[in-house]
Amino acid sequence: MRKRIICLLLALTLAVGMLPVASAAEHGIKDIVGHWAEKHIVWVMEMGLFSGTSATTFSPQGTMTRAMFVTVLGKYAGVDPDEFEDWYLPELFQDVPADSYCAAYINWAARH
């Protein structure tokens, strides 16, 4: 499983560098304009993997939580969150509310 995740992240990183993307300004994200990873951040947002911390910020210097990480992996893997909505959460993850944005992806990760 660990090798799969590493390969997935490596493939994602390589793909990001090869695709043309719009600018942060075109997306209204103000805190990544001129950032060294601007084009990569815009790409992952266009792909729907990340949504930012608000409508106008991404917080590139912020900390990525485990919930964010699992959500990104699930989105990249094409997980349908409806399939994992109430699968494990109540029994195993009492610190994650069932209505949390990451709940279905945590359930998916726990199952796989």
Side-chain angles (χ1 to χ4, degrees), residues 15-27 32 36-47:
V16 167
M18 296 177 2
L19 295 174
V21 295
S23 71
E26 291 174 20
H27 287 279
I32 63 171
W36 66 267
E38 177 181 352
K39 70 177 183 174
H40 306 292
I41 293 168
V42 171
W43 183 82
V44 295
M45 291 182 76
E46 286 180 344
M47 294 297 295

Side-chain angles (χ1 to χ4, degrees), residues 84-104:
F84 297 93
E85 195 169 17
D86 295 318
W87 201 67
Y88 268 134
L89 199 61
E91 292 82 23
L92 296 180
F93 304 106
Q94 296 174 4
D95 61 332
V96 180
D99 62 350
S100 173
Y101 77 94
C102 62

Side-chain angles (χ1 to χ4, degrees), residues 11-82:
L12 177 62
T13 302
L14 292 172
V16 167
M18 296 177 2
L19 295 174
V21 295
S23 71
E26 291 174 20
H27 287 279
I29 307 299
K30 299 178 189 312
D31 66 344
I32 63 171
V33 174
H35 189 274
W36 66 267
E38 177 181 352
K39 70 177 183 174
H40 306 292
I41 293 168
V42 171
W43 183 82
V44 295
M45 291 182 76
E46 286 180 344
M47 294 297 295
L49 300 176
F50 287 86
S51 57
T53 54
S54 80
T56 59
T57 61
F58 185 82
S59 303
Q61 302 304 96
T63 302
M64 182 177 214
T65 66
R66 290 179 292 170
M68 290 172 164
F69 182 73
V70 168
T71 300
V72 169
L73 287 178
K75 288 180 176 183
Y76 189 71
V79 171
D80 178 1
D82 293 335

